[in-house]
């Protein structure tokens, strides 16, 4: 009850703060403003209390609460118990609300820089999040108290889980600030909010980008599929707001010299936050559960989220349409040989990539409306974004040589052409047979050299130079690791050696962890020395494989990536076709098909097919009912059953005409292992440039955000003339 009470009270107090802020802005009453501040701070305190209470429940193992039972267990370390807080839908909503409330307090502390109207809109956004938290509450209780919880998914028991989700939610919550500032500016025809919005936008861009980059590194390090970005729809759902925010940052910078840029800036602000809400809908409505390993299942929030998006989009777009004619007019740039033109083009490139990824990730939603949900593959994204990546690299190259306004062109472009041509020739010589990828590599190398060279020549390091150099390195790393790598699959027995990519690789066998939670597969790689490489397999509570981490040998120019495929076992899954009334025996277990049941609707929807089996072993008989689910999307899933605490029975298919079923039987006892494993081995050339590039991008954007926060007063002073114009 305490958790519910604090959330409800915070909702009431937030609503009161919205009321007081609204009237403070409308009637300029200082008393109402003070009341709004008091109510908001009290609401933030209640939100903090709810978060502290949930953390206490997790740490103290209060398994009578469904959320704690589903995601925590007694054996979790303190760091992973902290990550339980945001492991599920309910807890992650609470984390979002906590960060949102803290940012609201920061807005209040800015005093005159934040209008009552801004705080009223910001409070409405907080109310929406609190309503979602009431619908998906982490404080629901079970009928009885289990002795132990289910525990955190072994795949999530990783140090990156502690920081990855908070970074993403810092970005999401931060984008609410420029959105509130922009809507208030639209409604009150006041456009001097842009200076205040820039540091918040930069901070959000930094945090969201850092979250995406950490997620990519986590996938590379842990998942074992060999990459860092799979164009998964849920991955894309966080990428699109980041891309939109990138466009917004460049437009905000452009407004310093071109007041006409205020128009697209308003559109970019609204789009960025609406895309955050849309991303939340995609990941939490269950619409992507058949297409993404990251998606939450549909738990009854999809309709509510859709309604929120429709309401927010309708209100925002209506305000834009009404105020659009009154926004500043004019040209966004006066010459293509100017820095303002490059800024505008960069914003367009960011927006274009965002649109392409948005279309791709939304394909399941669009196609489902037409009858059958489908998704697009990675080739769509790679082919669609490649030309835009080349344009981005070119803009990064020419930007440092241009000044604001007309006649801003220097005479170094011949040298740039020479560098680009030499880089293109080098890329082709190194084996990049695809001209487009070679061109991207050449332009990226040129962009990196230019941005670092300008900093050295001018003896002045800037945040833009660091960020743009990071983008150049990132693009080079993407090309190298995705195109120039090679891979092979080999089978190893203990103490056997293979020659792999000019190196000797020896498998020495398994090594169990002392805590029993997993085992290492030890390899010795000889590359001018002897190096231990250890893929790691995590085990669940039943002792079965739960997650596999690759073994990575790191060097400056390339990584050697070892990902075990599977272990050879002497007791594999055994399949048999069983007809009605017939009995089949495998591994001492007899199965008899009693009947087939089918549950579904003629008008559509999922169809469930169940096989009722009599299972006999050692004179004991049990009933087993495995099933297959034929989803409306075309996906087929199975629901196996366990019998005699030793075997798992799975239904592989049915033939209603012959009244027969394909049944799979698997012994769950520890398998007899012949010690042989298959390993997917690949090289990742220049992969470290991907990580270095993301670090430089994060440092550069964080530097920009901090500089504008620390120098906020100076920035506002320098832009007084600009603000009076817009």
């Amino acid at each position: 009850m305490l958790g519910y009470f604090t959330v409800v009270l915070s909702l009431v107090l937030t609503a009161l703060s919205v009321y007081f802020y609204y009237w403070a802005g409308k009637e300029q009453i200082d008393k109402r403003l003070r009341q709004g501040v008091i109510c908001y701070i009290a609401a933030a305190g209640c939100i903090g209390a709810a978060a502290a209470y949930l953390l206490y429940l997790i740490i103290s193992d209060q398994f009578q609460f469904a959320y704690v039972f589903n995601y925590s267990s007694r054996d979790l370390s303190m760091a992973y118990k902290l990550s339980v807080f945001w492991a599920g839908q309910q807890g992650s909503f609470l984390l979002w609300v906590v960060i949102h409330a803290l940012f609201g307090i920061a807005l209040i502390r800015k005093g005159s820089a934040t209008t009552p109207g801004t705080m009223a809109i910001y409070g409405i956004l907080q109310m929406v999040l609190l309503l979602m938290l009431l619908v998906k509450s982490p404080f629901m209780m079970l009928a009885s108290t289990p002795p132990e919880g289910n525990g955190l998914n072994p795949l999530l028991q990783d140090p990156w889980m502690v920081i990855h989700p908070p970074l993403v939610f810092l970005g999401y919550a931060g984008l609410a600030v420029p959105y509130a500032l922009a809507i208030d500016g639209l409604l009150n025809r006041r456009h001097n909010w842009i200076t205040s919005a820039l540091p918040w936008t930069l901070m959000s861009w930094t945090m969201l980008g850092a979250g995406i980059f950490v997620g990519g590194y986590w996938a590379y390090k842990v998942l074992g599929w060999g990459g860092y970005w799979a164009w998964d729809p849920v991955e894309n759902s966080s990428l699109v707001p980041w891309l939109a925010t990138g466009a917004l940052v460049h437009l905000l910078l452009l407004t310093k010299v071109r007041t006409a840029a205020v128009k697209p800036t308003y559109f970019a602000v609204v789009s960025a936050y609406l895309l955050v809400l849309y991303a939340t809908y995609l990941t939490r409505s269950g619409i992507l559960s058949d297409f993404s390993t990251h998606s939450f299942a549909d738990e009854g929030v999809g309709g509510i989220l859709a309604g929120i998006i429709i309401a927010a989009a309708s209100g925002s777009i209506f305000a834009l349409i009404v105020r659009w004619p009154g926004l500043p007019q004019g040209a966004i740039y006066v010459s293509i040989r100017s820095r303002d033109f490059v800024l505008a083009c960069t914003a367009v490139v960011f927006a274009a990539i965002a649109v392409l990824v948005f279309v791709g990730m939304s394909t399941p939603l669009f196609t489902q409306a037409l009858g059958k949900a489908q998704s697009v593959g990675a080739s769509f994204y790679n082919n669609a974004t490649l030309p835009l990546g080349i344009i981005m690299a070119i803009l990064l190259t020419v930007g440092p040589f241009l000044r604001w306004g007309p006649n801003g062109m220097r005479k170094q472009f011949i040298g740039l052409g020479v560098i680009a041509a030499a880089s293109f020739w080098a890329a082709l010589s190194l084996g990049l047979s695809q001209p487009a990828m070679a061109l991207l590599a050449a332009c990226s190398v040129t962009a990196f050299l230019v941005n670092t060279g300008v900093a050295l020549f001018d003896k002045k390091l800037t945040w833009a130079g660091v960020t743009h150099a990071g983008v150049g390195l990132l693009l080079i790393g993407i090309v190298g690791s995705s195109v120039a790598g090679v891979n092979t699959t080999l089978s190893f027995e203990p103490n056997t050696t293979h020659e792999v990519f000019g190196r000797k690789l020896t498998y020495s066998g398994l090594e169990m962890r002392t805590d029993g939670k997993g085992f290492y597969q030890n390899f010795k790689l000889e590359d001018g020395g002897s190096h231990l490489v250890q893929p790691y397999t995590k085990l669940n509570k039943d002792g079965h494989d739960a997650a596999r981490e690759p073994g990575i040998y790191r060097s400056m120019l390339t990584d050697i990536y070892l990902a075990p495929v599977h272990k050879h076992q002497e007791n594999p899954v055994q399949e048999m076709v069983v007809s009605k009334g017939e009995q089949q025996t495998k591994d001492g277990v007899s199965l008899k098909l009693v009947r087939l049941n089918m549950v579904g609707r003629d008008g559509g929807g999922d169809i469930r097919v169940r096989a009722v089996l009599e299972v006999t072993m050692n004179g004991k008989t049990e009933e087993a009912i495995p099933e297959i689910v034929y989803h409306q999307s075309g996906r087929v899933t199975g629901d196996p059953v366990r019998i005699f605490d030793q075997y798992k029975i799975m239904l592989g298919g049915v033939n209603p005409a012959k009244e027969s079923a394909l049944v799979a039987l698997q012994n769950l006892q520890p398998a007899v292992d012949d010690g042989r494993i298959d390993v997917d081995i690949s090289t990742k050339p220049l992969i470290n440039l991907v990580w270095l590039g993301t670090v430089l991008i994060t440092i550069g954007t964080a530097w920009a955000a901090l500089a504008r926060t620390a120098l906020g007063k100076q920035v506002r002073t320098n832009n007084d003339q600009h603000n009076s114009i817009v």
Side-chain angles (χ1 to χ4, degrees):
M1 289 298 294
L2 179 60
Y4 278 112
F5 175 74
T6 53
V7 174
V8 171
L9 183 57
S10 63
L11 177 60
V12 172
L13 289 169
T14 303
L16 286 173
S17 74
V18 171
Y19 171 80
F20 290 132
Y21 275 125
Y22 172 77
W23 286 108
K26 191 175 183 65
E27 300 180 357
Q28 302 298 313
I29 302 176
D30 290 341
K31 180 180 178 181
R32 291 283 185 260
L33 181 60
R34 289 193 298 271
Q35 290 171 328
V37 170
I38 291 171
C39 287
Y40 187 89
I41 293 176
C46 290
I47 292 170
Y53 182 55
L54 177 60
L55 190 59
Y56 162 76
L57 297 178
I58 295 170
I59 293 174
S60 59
D61 298 322
Q62 302 294 318
F63 298 125
Q64 67 270 29
F65 289 85
Y67 186 81
V68 181
F69 169 74
N70 287 330
Y71 297 101
S72 188
S73 60
R74 298 183 189 277
D75 62 341
L76 285 180
S77 66
M78 187 57 66
Y80 293 149
K81 284 195 174 183
L82 176 63
S83 59
V84 165
F85 190 106
W86 45 79
Q89 282 214 46
Q90 301 92 327
S92 59
F93 268 127
L94 181 53
L95 174 66
W96 191 350
V97 176
V98 168
I99 298 172
H100 187 99
L102 290 174
F103 286 169
I105 292 176
L107 278 174
I108 290 173
R109 292 190 62 184
K110 284 190 174 291
S112 59
T114 306
T115 66
T118 298
M119 287 305 302
I121 295 165
Y122 193 80
I124 292 173
L125 299 178
Q126 184 164 295
M127 289 175 63
V128 169
L129 295 176
L130 287 167
L131 286 170
M132 290 302 306
L133 188 59
L134 285 176
V135 174
K136 296 299 302 176
S137 173
F139 302 110
M140 294 180 62
M141 298 185 69
L142 300 172
S144 59
T145 303
E148 179 60 288
N150 288 331
L152 190 64
N153 186 329
L155 195 61
L156 301 181
Q157 294 184 35
D158 188 275
W160 293 113
M161 179 62 184
V162 181
I163 63 173
H164 168 62
L167 285 172
V168 173
F169 284 112
L170 281 167
Y172 282 178
L175 285 174
V177 176
Y179 176 80
L181 288 166
I183 296 300
D184 178 54
L186 273 179
L187 296 178
N188 293 286
R189 296 183 175 89
R190 183 172 51 243
H191 312 313
N192 60 349
W193 56 272
I194 290 175
T195 301
S196 300
L198 183 56
W200 284 101
T201 307
L202 283 165
M203 183 277 298
S204 301
W205 199 31
T206 301
M207 294 297 105
L208 187 53
I212 293 171
F213 301 151
V214 165
Y217 182 76
W218 185 5
Y220 177 77
K221 168 185 169 292
V222 172
L223 296 183
W225 59 274
Y228 46 84
W229 194 260
W231 293 111
D232 181 278
V234 172
E235 293 175 351
N236 294 338
S237 68
S238 59
L239 176 65
V240 173
W242 182 80
L243 291 167
T245 307
L248 173 59
V249 166
H250 289 82
L251 288 171
L252 286 170
L253 294 172
L254 186 57
T255 58
K256 295 195 302 180
V257 293
R258 300 291 168 218
T259 58
V262 170
K263 272 189 173 183
T265 300
Y266 269 113
F267 184 78
V269 171
V270 169
S271 298
Y273 192 70
L274 290 179
L275 285 169
V276 167
L277 298 179
Y278 182 68
T280 305
Y281 168 74
L282 285 183
T283 56
R284 296 170 186 273
S285 65
I287 190 70
L288 298 179
S289 59
D290 291 342
F291 303 98
S292 173
T293 58
H294 305 286
S295 178
F296 291 99
D298 185 10
E299 298 180 3
V301 299
I304 299 172
L305 285 169
I308 291 170
I309 294 171
I310 292 172
S314 300
S316 302
I317 293 172
F318 178 76
L320 273 173
I321 292 173
V322 170
R323 297 294 191 232
W324 194 263
L327 296 179
Q329 307 289 329
I332 294 179
Y333 63 91
V334 295
S335 171
I336 62 172
R337 297 179 299 174
S338 62
R339 185 170 295 177
D340 27 329
F341 174 75
V342 170
L343 273 177
C345 287
T346 304
V348 170
V349 171
F350 269 111
I353 299 174
V355 169
L356 288 171
V357 180
F358 174 86
V359 171
M361 76 178 186
S362 302
T363 300
L365 189 63
F366 300 151
T367 54
Q368 186 181 63
L370 298 176
K372 183 179 180 180
Q374 296 178 338
S375 63
V376 298
S379 60
F380 165 81
Y381 298 103
N382 294 333
N383 295 331
T385 58
L386 178 57
L388 294 170
I390 295 172
I391 296 173
M392 176 71 75
I394 293 173
L395 292 171
L396 294 176
T397 301
V398 302
F401 296 103
L402 295 172
R403 301 187 184 94
W404 298 109
N407 304 314
M409 189 173 182
R410 297 180 182 176
K411 299 179 180 179
Q412 290 91 343
F413 288 99
I414 295 177
L416 295 180
V418 172
I419 295 174
S423 300
F424 182 72
W425 176 83
L428 292 176
S429 300
L430 291 173
L432 284 180
S433 58
Q434 303 175 32
M437 294 298 286
L439 182 58
L440 175 59
C443 293
S444 301
V445 169
T446 308
F448 171 73
L449 292 176
V450 165
N451 282 277
T452 53
V454 167
L456 293 174
F457 181 79
D458 292 342
K459 296 181 180 180
K460 182 180 180 181
L461 191 64
T462 65
W463 70 267
V466 172
T467 304
H468 295 164
V471 175
L473 284 180
L474 173 62
L475 293 174
I476 297 168
I478 289 173
V479 173
S481 60
S482 61
V483 177
V486 292
N487 71 284
T488 185
T489 300
L490 297 174
S491 182
F492 287 84
E493 292 182 359
N495 301 316
T496 58
T497 300
H498 286 290
E499 188 86 14
V500 183
F501 309 135
R503 304 167 176 88
K504 289 184 178 180
L505 186 65
T506 302
Y507 174 53
S508 56
L510 300 181
E511 177 188 341
M512 292 297 299
R513 279 182 47 149
T514 56
D515 58 8
K517 292 185 177 181
F519 59 85
Y520 298 99
Q521 292 157 313
N522 292 331
F523 291 84
K524 183 177 70 173
L525 180 70
E526 297 180 45
D527 182 23
S530 181
H531 308 277
L532 180 64
V533 184
Q534 294 180 296
Y536 172 51
T537 298
K538 295 181 179 179
L539 302 177
N540 59 22
K541 293 182 177 180
D542 296 328
H544 300 118
D545 293 4
R548 293 182 177 180
E549 297 184 6
I552 305 174
Y553 166 64
R554 304 180 188 278
S555 64
M556 185 172 295
L557 294 179
T558 188
D559 283 1
I560 305 295
Y561 197 90
L562 309 182
V565 179
H566 66 273
K567 294 167 60 178
H568 292 272
Q569 299 173 341
E570 292 184 5
N571 56 346
V573 175
Q574 302 183 74
E575 294 184 343
M576 64 197 85
V577 176
V578 185
S579 299
K580 183 177 179 180
E582 180 184 80
Q583 184 169 289
Q584 293 266 8
T585 302
K586 293 283 187 181
D587 198 22
V589 180
S590 298
L591 294 89
K592 180 180 179 181
L593 179 61
V594 178
R595 63 182 179 275
L596 297 174
N597 292 333
M598 185 174 70
V599 180
R601 297 194 303 271
D602 293 336
D606 297 344
I607 298 176
R608 296 178 178 270
V609 179
R610 296 166 182 161
V612 180
L613 301 167
E614 279 186 4
V615 187
T616 304
M617 186 180 75
N618 297 331
K620 297 180 180 179
T621 300
E622 290 187 7
E623 183 180 71
I625 311 178
E627 72 173 23
I628 292 179
V629 182
Y630 296 91
H631 297 274
Q632 187 176 9
S633 64
R635 183 168 174 255
V636 180
T637 59
D639 187 8
V641 295
R642 188 167 176 166
I643 57 168
F644 301 121
D645 293 325
Q646 182 179 344
Y647 289 90
K648 181 168 68 174
I649 295 180
M650 297 157 283
L651 186 59
V654 297
N655 188 330
K658 295 183 178 181
E659 293 190 283
S660 63
L662 175 64
V663 180
L665 178 70
Q666 183 181 21
N667 192 340
L668 298 178
Q669 293 281 336
V672 178
D673 189 0
D674 63 6
R676 195 156 40 99
I677 62 171
D678 293 334
V679 184
D680 185 45
I681 308 169
S682 56
T683 61
K684 307 295 178 185
L686 305 182
I687 187 69
N688 288 325
L689 294 186
V690 172
W691 316 132
L692 180 58
T694 59
V695 169
L696 290 179
I697 293 170
T698 304
I699 291 173
T701 53
W703 178 6
L706 291 173
R708 278 159 177 76
T709 301
L711 302 177
K713 292 183 180 180
Q714 179 180 340
V715 171
R716 284 193 292 274
T717 300
N718 293 340
N719 286 280
D720 279 344
Q721 181 179 0
H722 166 66
N723 290 340
S724 65
I725 294 174
V726 300

